[in-house]
């Protein structure tokens, strides 16, 4: 069922059993699990079915601290959410991402990778991913041209990624949701406040507003916030009628630990010797189903006391890379690059030269940092809600890990005779907190309502329920205690499916 909240009489009451706020990757994945489940599900979406500038404007926020993308551009505010322009890169978090690492402050999830395993599997068809295979060997068995580099597994490995077409949730799942008898989608229904009982221990309702000036109330037994990381924190902080510092924020954790993936060009690689097969690492948008990236083993990370990271190999012809990026190379490396082997391609009766020189793009997790945070701005949006204020901050560990990554990987590439890696100048520089102008994130927002068994350390418990609030849950990457180096959406969907199981098992109070 679908209703446009602008067409309801002013001050309507909307009622159901379970209310999901936000119809993006997290909210839609969750709602799909309740089709035919015998509960009345409300799915509240702030936007309509299409992009509207006035809706995006509600996302505008203040940026303090490190420079960041404008918030109104970093997320989409309509049915389908930011899957309207995501790129579809998917990988799983690694086992090391879930454990406590004594060199990474605030690390460790209260669940393990094994707890997510079945949900990763179930998430594949939702994201239109090909196979439940995440090892390089498995992909090589499927396609003999995918040959991983022969690296010492105690040091480095090939981490596999898969590529969604990309799945646009707004297009793919509009019909199943709208035609479901037990899921009622309300569009143009922006939640502006979560109302709680006097002790702020349970949600009693939601207030929604439209840009046309209507206001409605929503009542359900249980509520799930799935508005994306920054908006989830903003809504909790702005819901401060009963709890003056914001709902679920008794221990000043809401909004803290905002994390991004640091995605930056950081180095170059030239392969040496008999040219190794590089098809495993090649990527063509819209065609490649899976590819490998180079990563360091959990042991190597522990030994070097560094964060998790992965690096993609993007072929960079000598003519392009030439003077600036490869002038570091010793004469023997340069002459090797110039004598590229010409390989006959029997399929096309032509010859082609396998790439030997690559730019290296790093994706590194950001260390959890309580000072990297979302708070409220003094400015309000058109619906009267304080805007988000993002103070993105990085630490010395973030900066140092970039350099160590290339030192360790470079040594292993040299030892194995595969090639030589070169760091960009900024990676080499030793200033502990200096970042280059190319500093950038992956458009991935994580943290702000982190998961912990301890209410003093986190906002949600391992089931994703807000500590101290009986009937309020959070879906999405806001619950991540650490970010790993994999893009977030596959894990977001897996966590939503896990939450659906939990909500289905629990009897409505
Ligand atoms: C350019 C770009 C490229 C990306 N590429 C990748 C990639 O390759 N791989 C990857 O894994 N991730 C990628 N991402 C990130 C990915 O898009 C997000 O991880 C994912 O969409 C987050 O899902 P979500 O449901 O938490 O949030 P969203 O998809 O943003 O959905 C949130 C929903 O909540 C609604 N909403 C917000 N506030 C309210 C409110 N107050 N009331 C009612 N509704 C509300 C919004 O309208 C929206 O529909 C990319 C992002 C960008 C911007």
């Amino acid at each position: 069922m679908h209703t446009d909240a602008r067409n309801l009489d002013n001050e309507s009451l909307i009622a159901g059993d379970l209310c999901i706020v936000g119809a993006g990757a997290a909210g839609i994945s969750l709602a799909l699990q309740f089709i035919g489940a015998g509960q009345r599900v409300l799915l509240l979406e702030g936007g309509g079915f299409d992009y509207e500038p006035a809706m995006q404007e509600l996302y505008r926020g203040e940026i303090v601290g490190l420079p960041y993308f404008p918030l109104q551009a970093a997320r989409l505010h309509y049915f389908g959410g930011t899957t309207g322009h995501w790129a579809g890169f998917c990988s799983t978090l690694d086992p090391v991402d879930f454990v406590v690492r004594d060199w990474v402050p605030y690390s460790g999830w209260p669940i393990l990778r094994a707890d997510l395993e079945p949900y990763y599997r179930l998430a594949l068809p939702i994201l239109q991913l090909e196979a439940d295979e995440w090892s390089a060997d498995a992909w090589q068995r499927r396609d003999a041209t995918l040959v991983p580099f022969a690296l010492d597994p105690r040091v480095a490995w090939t981490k596999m990624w898969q590529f969604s077409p990309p799945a646009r949730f707004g297009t793919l799942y509009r019909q199943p949701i709208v035609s479901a008898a037990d899921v009622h989608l309300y569009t143009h229904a922006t939640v502006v406040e979560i109302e709680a009982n006097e002790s702020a221990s349970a949600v009693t309702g939601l207030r929604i507003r439209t840009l046309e000036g209507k206001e409605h109330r929503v009542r359900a037994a249980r509520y799930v916030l799935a508005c994306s990381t920054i908006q989830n924190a903003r809504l909790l902080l702005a819901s401060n009628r009963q709890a003056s510092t914001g709902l679920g924020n008794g221990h000043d954790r809401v909004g803290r630990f905002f994390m991004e993936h640091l995605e930056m060009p950081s180095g170059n690689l030239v392969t040496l010797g008999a040219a190794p097969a590089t098809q495993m690492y090649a990527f063509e948008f819209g065609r490649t189903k899976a590819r490998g990236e180079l990563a360091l083993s959990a042991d190597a990370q522990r030994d070097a006391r560094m964060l998790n990271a992965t690096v993609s190999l993007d072929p960079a012809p000598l003519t392009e890379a030439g003077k600036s990026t490869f002038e570091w190379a010793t004469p023997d490396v340069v002459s090797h690059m110039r004598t590229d082997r010409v390989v006959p391609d029997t399929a096309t009766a032509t010859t082609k030269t396998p790439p030997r020189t690559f730019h290296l793009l790093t994706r590194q997790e950001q260390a959890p940092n309580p000072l990297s945070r979302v708070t409220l701005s003094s400015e309000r949006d058109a619906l009267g809600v304080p805007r988000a204020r993002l103070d993105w901050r990085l630490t010395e560990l973030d900066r140092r890990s970039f350099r160590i990554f290339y030192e360790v990987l470079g040594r292993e590439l040299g030892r194995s005779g595969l090639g030589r890696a070169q760091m960009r100048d900024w990676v080499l520089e030793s200033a502990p907190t200096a970042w280059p102008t190319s500093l950038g994130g992956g458009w991935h927002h994580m943290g702000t309502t982190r998961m912990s068994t301890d209410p003093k350390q986190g906002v949600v418990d391992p089931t994703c329920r807000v500590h101290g609030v009986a009937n309020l849950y959070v879906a999405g990457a806001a619950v991540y205690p650490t970010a790993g180096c994999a893009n977030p959406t596959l894990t977001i969907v897996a966590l939503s499916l896990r939450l659906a199981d939990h909500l289905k098992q629990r009897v409505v109070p």
Side-chain angles (χ1 to χ4, degrees), residues 22-26 45-46 59 74-75 77-78 81-82 85-89 191 227-228 443 487-489 492:
E45 168 52 45
Y59 271 179
R75 285 290 169 272
H77 206 344
Y78 62 91
T82 314
H85 66 191
W86 79 310
F89 285 45
V191 173
C227 301
S228 79
W443 306 85
N487 287 11
T489 309
I492 289 174

PDB file of all heavy atoms in Angstrom, residues 22-26 45-46 59 74-75 77-78 81-82 85-89 191 227-228 443 487-489 492, ligand 1:
ATOM      1  N   GLY A  22      12.544   5.709   7.114  1.00  0.00           N
ATOM      2  CA  GLY A  22      13.585   5.796   6.083  1.00  0.00           C
ATOM      3  C   GLY A  22      13.522   4.596   5.141  1.00  0.00           C
ATOM      4  O   GLY A  22      13.590   3.444   5.591  1.00  0.00           O
ATOM      5  N   ALA A  23      13.369   4.875   3.848  1.00  0.00           N
ATOM      6  CA  ALA A  23      13.263   3.802   2.846  1.00  0.00           C
ATOM      7  C   ALA A  23      14.472   3.841   1.921  1.00  0.00           C
ATOM      8  O   ALA A  23      14.374   4.127   0.728  1.00  0.00           O
ATOM      9  CB  ALA A  23      11.962   3.933   2.058  1.00  0.00           C
ATOM     10  N   GLY A  24      15.653   3.566   2.507  1.00  0.00           N
ATOM     11  CA  GLY A  24      16.874   3.415   1.710  1.00  0.00           C
ATOM     12  C   GLY A  24      17.293   1.953   1.749  1.00  0.00           C
ATOM     13  O   GLY A  24      16.452   1.053   1.924  1.00  0.00           O
ATOM     14  N   ALA A  25      18.598   1.701   1.622  1.00  0.00           N
ATOM     15  CA  ALA A  25      19.091   0.322   1.608  1.00  0.00           C
ATOM     16  C   ALA A  25      18.681  -0.419   2.882  1.00  0.00           C
ATOM     17  O   ALA A  25      18.210  -1.561   2.824  1.00  0.00           O
ATOM     18  CB  ALA A  25      20.614   0.325   1.474  1.00  0.00           C
ATOM     19  N   ALA A  26      18.839   0.231   4.026  1.00  0.00           N
ATOM     20  CA  ALA A  26      18.541  -0.439   5.297  1.00  0.00           C
ATOM     21  C   ALA A  26      17.043  -0.626   5.480  1.00  0.00           C
ATOM     22  O   ALA A  26      16.570  -1.729   5.778  1.00  0.00           O
ATOM     23  CB  ALA A  26      19.124   0.368   6.456  1.00  0.00           C
ATOM     24  N   GLU A  45       8.814   7.433   4.581  1.00  0.00           N
ATOM     25  CA  GLU A  45       9.885   7.982   3.744  1.00  0.00           C
ATOM     26  C   GLU A  45       9.686   9.494   3.612  1.00  0.00           C
ATOM     27  O   GLU A  45       8.605   9.944   3.231  1.00  0.00           O
ATOM     28  CB  GLU A  45       9.881   7.296   2.363  1.00  0.00           C
ATOM     29  CG  GLU A  45      10.749   7.952   1.313  1.00  0.00           C
ATOM     30  CD  GLU A  45      12.192   8.198   1.766  1.00  0.00           C
ATOM     31  OE1 GLU A  45      12.808   7.299   2.356  1.00  0.00           O
ATOM     32  OE2 GLU A  45      12.696   9.328   1.538  1.00  0.00           O
ATOM     33  N   GLY A  46      10.758  10.237   3.912  1.00  0.00           N
ATOM     34  CA  GLY A  46      10.674  11.696   3.853  1.00  0.00           C
ATOM     35  C   GLY A  46      10.395  12.220   2.453  1.00  0.00           C
ATOM     36  O   GLY A  46       9.621  13.150   2.254  1.00  0.00           O
ATOM     37  N   TYR A  59      18.695  18.160   4.028  1.00  0.00           N
ATOM     38  CA  TYR A  59      19.924  17.474   4.435  1.00  0.00           C
ATOM     39  C   TYR A  59      21.107  18.438   4.613  1.00  0.00           C
ATOM     40  O   TYR A  59      22.147  18.044   5.124  1.00  0.00           O
ATOM     41  CB  TYR A  59      20.341  16.451   3.373  1.00  0.00           C
ATOM     42  CG  TYR A  59      19.770  15.054   3.522  1.00  0.00           C
ATOM     43  CD1 TYR A  59      20.087  14.075   2.595  1.00  0.00           C
ATOM     44  CD2 TYR A  59      18.947  14.695   4.581  1.00  0.00           C
ATOM     45  CE1 TYR A  59      19.597  12.779   2.704  1.00  0.00           C
ATOM     46  CE2 TYR A  59      18.438  13.411   4.698  1.00  0.00           C
ATOM     47  CZ  TYR A  59      18.770  12.454   3.761  1.00  0.00           C
ATOM     48  OH  TYR A  59      18.296  11.172   3.875  1.00  0.00           O
ATOM     49  N   ALA A  74      25.719  14.351  -0.222  1.00  0.00           N
ATOM     50  CA  ALA A  74      26.307  13.066   0.191  1.00  0.00           C
ATOM     51  C   ALA A  74      25.272  11.978   0.436  1.00  0.00           C
ATOM     52  O   ALA A  74      25.634  10.814   0.581  1.00  0.00           O
ATOM     53  CB  ALA A  74      27.152  13.268   1.452  1.00  0.00           C
ATOM     54  N   ARG A  75      24.007  12.316   0.507  1.00  0.00           N
ATOM     55  CA  ARG A  75      22.947  11.324   0.679  1.00  0.00           C
ATOM     56  C   ARG A  75      21.723  11.757  -0.136  1.00  0.00           C
ATOM     57  O   ARG A  75      21.486  12.956  -0.295  1.00  0.00           O
ATOM     58  CB  ARG A  75      22.528  11.192   2.159  1.00  0.00           C
ATOM     59  CG  ARG A  75      23.534  10.425   3.015  1.00  0.00           C
ATOM     60  CD  ARG A  75      23.529   8.943   2.646  1.00  0.00           C
ATOM     61  NE  ARG A  75      24.626   8.169   3.210  1.00  0.00           N
ATOM     62  CZ  ARG A  75      25.821   7.999   2.654  1.00  0.00           C
ATOM     63  NH1 ARG A  75      26.121   8.622   1.529  1.00  0.00           N
ATOM     64  NH2 ARG A  75      26.723   7.222   3.197  1.00  0.00           N
ATOM     65  N   HIS A  77      17.575  11.897  -0.667  1.00  0.00           N
ATOM     66  CA  HIS A  77      16.428  11.993   0.231  1.00  0.00           C
ATOM     67  C   HIS A  77      15.141  11.660  -0.532  1.00  0.00           C
ATOM     68  O   HIS A  77      14.284  12.514  -0.711  1.00  0.00           O
ATOM     69  CB  HIS A  77      16.383  13.429   0.786  1.00  0.00           C
ATOM     70  CG  HIS A  77      15.701  13.550   2.116  1.00  0.00           C
ATOM     71  ND1 HIS A  77      14.882  12.585   2.656  1.00  0.00           N
ATOM     72  CD2 HIS A  77      15.719  14.562   3.029  1.00  0.00           C
ATOM     73  CE1 HIS A  77      14.440  12.994   3.818  1.00  0.00           C
ATOM     74  NE2 HIS A  77      14.928  14.178   4.073  1.00  0.00           N
ATOM     75  N   TYR A  78      15.037  10.443  -1.007  1.00  0.00           N
ATOM     76  CA  TYR A  78      13.779   9.976  -1.598  1.00  0.00           C
ATOM     77  C   TYR A  78      13.744   8.459  -1.557  1.00  0.00           C
ATOM     78  O   TYR A  78      14.736   7.829  -1.140  1.00  0.00           O
ATOM     79  CB  TYR A  78      13.583  10.516  -3.018  1.00  0.00           C
ATOM     80  CG  TYR A  78      14.599  10.124  -4.070  1.00  0.00           C
ATOM     81  CD1 TYR A  78      14.419   8.988  -4.865  1.00  0.00           C
ATOM     82  CD2 TYR A  78      15.726  10.903  -4.290  1.00  0.00           C
ATOM     83  CE1 TYR A  78      15.331   8.648  -5.852  1.00  0.00           C
ATOM     84  CE2 TYR A  78      16.645  10.562  -5.274  1.00  0.00           C
ATOM     85  CZ  TYR A  78      16.448   9.433  -6.038  1.00  0.00           C
ATOM     86  OH  TYR A  78      17.362   9.096  -7.004  1.00  0.00           O
ATOM     87  N   GLY A  81      16.587   5.906  -1.251  1.00  0.00           N
ATOM     88  CA  GLY A  81      17.714   6.524  -0.558  1.00  0.00           C
ATOM     89  C   GLY A  81      18.937   6.650  -1.454  1.00  0.00           C
ATOM     90  O   GLY A  81      18.831   6.825  -2.675  1.00  0.00           O
ATOM     91  N   THR A  82      20.087   6.516  -0.872  1.00  0.00           N
ATOM     92  CA  THR A  82      21.342   6.807  -1.570  1.00  0.00           C
ATOM     93  C   THR A  82      21.729   5.697  -2.550  1.00  0.00           C
ATOM     94  O   THR A  82      22.694   5.837  -3.297  1.00  0.00           O
ATOM     95  CB  THR A  82      22.445   7.107  -0.524  1.00  0.00           C
ATOM     96  OG1 THR A  82      21.901   8.014   0.438  1.00  0.00           O
ATOM     97  CG2 THR A  82      23.654   7.769  -1.154  1.00  0.00           C
ATOM     98  N   HIS A  85      22.321   6.658  -6.215  1.00  0.00           N
ATOM     99  CA  HIS A  85      23.579   6.921  -6.907  1.00  0.00           C
ATOM    100  C   HIS A  85      24.803   6.236  -6.297  1.00  0.00           C
ATOM    101  O   HIS A  85      25.907   6.708  -6.435  1.00  0.00           O
ATOM    102  CB  HIS A  85      23.829   8.416  -7.173  1.00  0.00           C
ATOM    103  CG  HIS A  85      24.040   9.273  -5.958  1.00  0.00           C
ATOM    104  ND1 HIS A  85      24.056  10.638  -6.043  1.00  0.00           N
ATOM    105  CD2 HIS A  85      24.234   8.984  -4.672  1.00  0.00           C
ATOM    106  CE1 HIS A  85      24.243  11.133  -4.840  1.00  0.00           C
ATOM    107  NE2 HIS A  85      24.360  10.160  -4.002  1.00  0.00           N
ATOM    108  N   TRP A  86      24.576   5.081  -5.662  1.00  0.00           N
ATOM    109  CA  TRP A  86      25.756   4.355  -5.185  1.00  0.00           C
ATOM    110  C   TRP A  86      26.414   3.644  -6.364  1.00  0.00           C
ATOM    111  O   TRP A  86      25.814   3.486  -7.432  1.00  0.00           O
ATOM    112  CB  TRP A  86      25.395   3.380  -4.065  1.00  0.00           C
ATOM    113  CG  TRP A  86      24.764   2.082  -4.454  1.00  0.00           C
ATOM    114  CD1 TRP A  86      23.694   1.926  -5.296  1.00  0.00           C
ATOM    115  CD2 TRP A  86      25.141   0.775  -4.023  1.00  0.00           C
ATOM    116  NE1 TRP A  86      23.375   0.597  -5.391  1.00  0.00           N
ATOM    117  CE2 TRP A  86      24.243  -0.133  -4.630  1.00  0.00           C
ATOM    118  CE3 TRP A  86      26.123   0.279  -3.187  1.00  0.00           C
ATOM    119  CZ2 TRP A  86      24.318  -1.512  -4.421  1.00  0.00           C
ATOM    120  CZ3 TRP A  86      26.199  -1.089  -2.975  1.00  0.00           C
ATOM    121  CH2 TRP A  86      25.311  -1.964  -3.587  1.00  0.00           C
ATOM    122  N   ALA A  87      27.674   3.211  -6.165  1.00  0.00           N
ATOM    123  CA  ALA A  87      28.443   2.629  -7.271  1.00  0.00           C
ATOM    124  C   ALA A  87      28.391   1.108  -7.299  1.00  0.00           C
ATOM    125  O   ALA A  87      28.814   0.492  -8.267  1.00  0.00           O
ATOM    126  CB  ALA A  87      29.899   3.085  -7.187  1.00  0.00           C
ATOM    127  N   GLY A  88      27.918   0.472  -6.210  1.00  0.00           N
ATOM    128  CA  GLY A  88      27.724  -0.980  -6.233  1.00  0.00           C
ATOM    129  C   GLY A  88      28.920  -1.815  -5.794  1.00  0.00           C
ATOM    130  O   GLY A  88      28.885  -3.035  -5.885  1.00  0.00           O
ATOM    131  N   PHE A  89      29.993  -1.192  -5.302  1.00  0.00           N
ATOM    132  CA  PHE A  89      31.172  -1.956  -4.836  1.00  0.00           C
ATOM    133  C   PHE A  89      30.816  -2.648  -3.512  1.00  0.00           C
ATOM    134  O   PHE A  89      30.427  -1.978  -2.563  1.00  0.00           O
ATOM    135  CB  PHE A  89      32.360  -1.028  -4.573  1.00  0.00           C
ATOM    136  CG  PHE A  89      33.047  -0.519  -5.806  1.00  0.00           C
ATOM    137  CD1 PHE A  89      32.325  -0.042  -6.886  1.00  0.00           C
ATOM    138  CD2 PHE A  89      34.429  -0.500  -5.871  1.00  0.00           C
ATOM    139  CE1 PHE A  89      32.958   0.429  -8.024  1.00  0.00           C
ATOM    140  CE2 PHE A  89      35.081  -0.026  -6.995  1.00  0.00           C
ATOM    141  CZ  PHE A  89      34.348   0.444  -8.076  1.00  0.00           C
ATOM    142  N   VAL A 191      10.006  12.397   9.343  1.00  0.00           N
ATOM    143  CA  VAL A 191       9.905  12.375  10.804  1.00  0.00           C
ATOM    144  C   VAL A 191      10.735  13.533  11.358  1.00  0.00           C
ATOM    145  O   VAL A 191      11.919  13.683  11.019  1.00  0.00           O
ATOM    146  CB  VAL A 191      10.401  11.018  11.364  1.00  0.00           C
ATOM    147  CG1 VAL A 191      10.453  11.039  12.889  1.00  0.00           C
ATOM    148  CG2 VAL A 191       9.491   9.892  10.877  1.00  0.00           C
ATOM    149  N   CYS A 227      17.444   6.063   8.715  1.00  0.00           N
ATOM    150  CA  CYS A 227      17.533   7.320   7.948  1.00  0.00           C
ATOM    151  C   CYS A 227      18.934   7.597   7.436  1.00  0.00           C
ATOM    152  O   CYS A 227      19.176   8.667   6.881  1.00  0.00           O
ATOM    153  CB  CYS A 227      17.129   8.494   8.829  1.00  0.00           C
ATOM    154  SG  CYS A 227      15.494   8.382   9.485  1.00  0.00           S
ATOM    155  N   SER A 228      19.864   6.693   7.665  1.00  0.00           N
ATOM    156  CA  SER A 228      21.301   6.803   7.383  1.00  0.00           C
ATOM    157  C   SER A 228      22.003   7.461   8.567  1.00  0.00           C
ATOM    158  O   SER A 228      21.380   8.132   9.391  1.00  0.00           O
ATOM    159  CB  SER A 228      21.641   7.495   6.061  1.00  0.00           C
ATOM    160  OG  SER A 228      21.539   8.881   6.184  1.00  0.00           O
ATOM    161  N   TRP A 443      32.311   8.516   0.607  1.00  0.00           N
ATOM    162  CA  TRP A 443      30.884   8.811   0.696  1.00  0.00           C
ATOM    163  C   TRP A 443      30.213   7.782   1.602  1.00  0.00           C
ATOM    164  O   TRP A 443      29.030   7.487   1.446  1.00  0.00           O
ATOM    165  CB  TRP A 443      30.179   8.822  -0.659  1.00  0.00           C
ATOM    166  CG  TRP A 443      30.750   9.690  -1.715  1.00  0.00           C
ATOM    167  CD1 TRP A 443      31.761   9.362  -2.559  1.00  0.00           C
ATOM    168  CD2 TRP A 443      30.344  11.018  -2.078  1.00  0.00           C
ATOM    169  NE1 TRP A 443      32.000  10.398  -3.425  1.00  0.00           N
ATOM    170  CE2 TRP A 443      31.145  11.432  -3.159  1.00  0.00           C
ATOM    171  CE3 TRP A 443      29.364  11.900  -1.599  1.00  0.00           C
ATOM    172  CZ2 TRP A 443      31.012  12.676  -3.772  1.00  0.00           C
ATOM    173  CZ3 TRP A 443      29.222  13.137  -2.214  1.00  0.00           C
ATOM    174  CH2 TRP A 443      30.045  13.514  -3.279  1.00  0.00           C
ATOM    175  N   ASN A 487      33.394  -1.428   1.657  1.00  0.00           N
ATOM    176  CA  ASN A 487      32.278  -0.483   1.524  1.00  0.00           C
ATOM    177  C   ASN A 487      31.081  -1.004   2.328  1.00  0.00           C
ATOM    178  O   ASN A 487      30.915  -2.207   2.480  1.00  0.00           O
ATOM    179  CB  ASN A 487      31.920  -0.318   0.039  1.00  0.00           C
ATOM    180  CG  ASN A 487      32.954   0.502  -0.707  1.00  0.00           C
ATOM    181  OD1 ASN A 487      34.025   0.767  -0.182  1.00  0.00           O
ATOM    182  ND2 ASN A 487      32.649   0.882  -1.925  1.00  0.00           N
ATOM    183  N   PRO A 488      30.227  -0.083   2.800  1.00  0.00           N
ATOM    184  CA  PRO A 488      29.309  -0.506   3.874  1.00  0.00           C
ATOM    185  C   PRO A 488      28.013  -1.201   3.478  1.00  0.00           C
ATOM    186  O   PRO A 488      27.400  -1.868   4.307  1.00  0.00           O
ATOM    187  CB  PRO A 488      28.968   0.827   4.543  1.00  0.00           C
ATOM    188  CG  PRO A 488      29.096   1.848   3.458  1.00  0.00           C
ATOM    189  CD  PRO A 488      30.201   1.362   2.572  1.00  0.00           C
ATOM    190  N   THR A 489      27.545  -1.070   2.237  1.00  0.00           N
ATOM    191  CA  THR A 489      26.132  -1.396   1.994  1.00  0.00           C
ATOM    192  C   THR A 489      25.809  -2.878   2.145  1.00  0.00           C
ATOM    193  O   THR A 489      24.738  -3.233   2.657  1.00  0.00           O
ATOM    194  CB  THR A 489      25.700  -0.845   0.618  1.00  0.00           C
ATOM    195  OG1 THR A 489      26.080   0.538   0.576  1.00  0.00           O
ATOM    196  CG2 THR A 489      24.199  -0.942   0.426  1.00  0.00           C
ATOM    197  N   ILE A 492      25.339  -3.356   5.694  1.00  0.00           N
ATOM    198  CA  ILE A 492      24.097  -2.673   6.121  1.00  0.00           C
ATOM    199  C   ILE A 492      22.898  -3.587   5.851  1.00  0.00           C
ATOM    200  O   ILE A 492      22.035  -3.788   6.717  1.00  0.00           O
ATOM    201  CB  ILE A 492      23.924  -1.333   5.358  1.00  0.00           C
ATOM    202  CG1 ILE A 492      24.949  -0.313   5.849  1.00  0.00           C
ATOM    203  CG2 ILE A 492      22.500  -0.792   5.503  1.00  0.00           C
ATOM    204  CD1 ILE A 492      24.959   0.991   5.059  1.00  0.00           C
TER     205      ILE A 492
HETATM  206  C1  LIG B   1      28.389   8.703  -4.631  1.00  0.00           C
HETATM  207  C2  LIG B   1      28.195   7.527  -3.716  1.00  0.00           C
HETATM  208  C3  LIG B   1      28.721   6.299  -4.066  1.00  0.00           C
HETATM  209  C4  LIG B   1      28.567   5.209  -3.200  1.00  0.00           C
HETATM  210  N1  LIG B   1      29.090   4.001  -3.581  1.00  0.00           N
HETATM  211  C5  LIG B   1      28.984   2.947  -2.737  1.00  0.00           C
HETATM  212  C6  LIG B   1      29.530   1.684  -3.099  1.00  0.00           C
HETATM  213  O1  LIG B   1      30.091   1.513  -4.176  1.00  0.00           O
HETATM  214  N2  LIG B   1      29.413   0.658  -2.214  1.00  0.00           N
HETATM  215  C7  LIG B   1      28.785   0.799  -1.003  1.00  0.00           C
HETATM  216  O2  LIG B   1      28.710  -0.169  -0.242  1.00  0.00           O
HETATM  217  N3  LIG B   1      28.229   1.990  -0.653  1.00  0.00           N
HETATM  218  C8  LIG B   1      28.315   3.053  -1.477  1.00  0.00           C
HETATM  219  N4  LIG B   1      27.770   4.256  -1.135  1.00  0.00           N
HETATM  220  C9  LIG B   1      27.083   4.352   0.178  1.00  0.00           C
HETATM  221  C10 LIG B   1      25.654   3.807   0.104  1.00  0.00           C
HETATM  222  O3  LIG B   1      24.892   4.599  -0.751  1.00  0.00           O
HETATM  223  C11 LIG B   1      25.079   3.807   1.509  1.00  0.00           C
HETATM  224  O4  LIG B   1      25.897   2.944   2.309  1.00  0.00           O
HETATM  225  C12 LIG B   1      23.662   3.310   1.624  1.00  0.00           C
HETATM  226  O5  LIG B   1      22.791   3.918   0.719  1.00  0.00           O
HETATM  227  C13 LIG B   1      23.175   3.592   3.042  1.00  0.00           C
HETATM  228  O6  LIG B   1      21.906   3.024   3.223  1.00  0.00           O
HETATM  229  P1  LIG B   1      20.926   3.632   4.304  1.00  0.00           P
HETATM  230  O7  LIG B   1      19.621   2.954   4.124  1.00  0.00           O
HETATM  231  O8  LIG B   1      21.564   3.603   5.637  1.00  0.00           O
HETATM  232  O9  LIG B   1      20.798   5.187   3.919  1.00  0.00           O
HETATM  233  P2  LIG B   1      20.103   5.806   2.631  1.00  0.00           P
HETATM  234  O10 LIG B   1      20.253   4.889   1.486  1.00  0.00           O
HETATM  235  O11 LIG B   1      20.633   7.175   2.490  1.00  0.00           O
HETATM  236  O12 LIG B   1      18.560   5.829   3.003  1.00  0.00           O
HETATM  237  C14 LIG B   1      18.038   6.631   4.041  1.00  0.00           C
HETATM  238  C15 LIG B   1      16.567   6.910   3.739  1.00  0.00           C
HETATM  239  O13 LIG B   1      15.973   7.589   4.842  1.00  0.00           O
HETATM  240  C16 LIG B   1      15.174   8.661   4.371  1.00  0.00           C
HETATM  241  N5  LIG B   1      15.098   9.655   5.450  1.00  0.00           N
HETATM  242  C17 LIG B   1      16.132  10.394   5.954  1.00  0.00           C
HETATM  243  N6  LIG B   1      15.702  11.159   6.970  1.00  0.00           N
HETATM  244  C18 LIG B   1      14.391  10.892   7.131  1.00  0.00           C
HETATM  245  C19 LIG B   1      13.399  11.376   8.042  1.00  0.00           C
HETATM  246  N7  LIG B   1      13.683  12.253   9.013  1.00  0.00           N
HETATM  247  N8  LIG B   1      12.124  10.899   7.921  1.00  0.00           N
HETATM  248  C20 LIG B   1      11.815   9.974   6.966  1.00  0.00           C
HETATM  249  N9  LIG B   1      12.721   9.500   6.075  1.00  0.00           N
HETATM  250  C21 LIG B   1      13.998   9.952   6.167  1.00  0.00           C
HETATM  251  C22 LIG B   1      15.905   9.134   3.126  1.00  0.00           C
HETATM  252  O14 LIG B   1      15.082   9.870   2.258  1.00  0.00           O
HETATM  253  C23 LIG B   1      16.379   7.815   2.525  1.00  0.00           C
HETATM  254  O15 LIG B   1      15.430   7.239   1.670  1.00  0.00           O
HETATM  255  C24 LIG B   1      27.877   5.362  -1.970  1.00  0.00           C
HETATM  256  C25 LIG B   1      27.346   6.601  -1.635  1.00  0.00           C
HETATM  257  C26 LIG B   1      27.495   7.673  -2.492  1.00  0.00           C
HETATM  258  C27 LIG B   1      26.916   8.984  -2.091  1.00  0.00           C
END
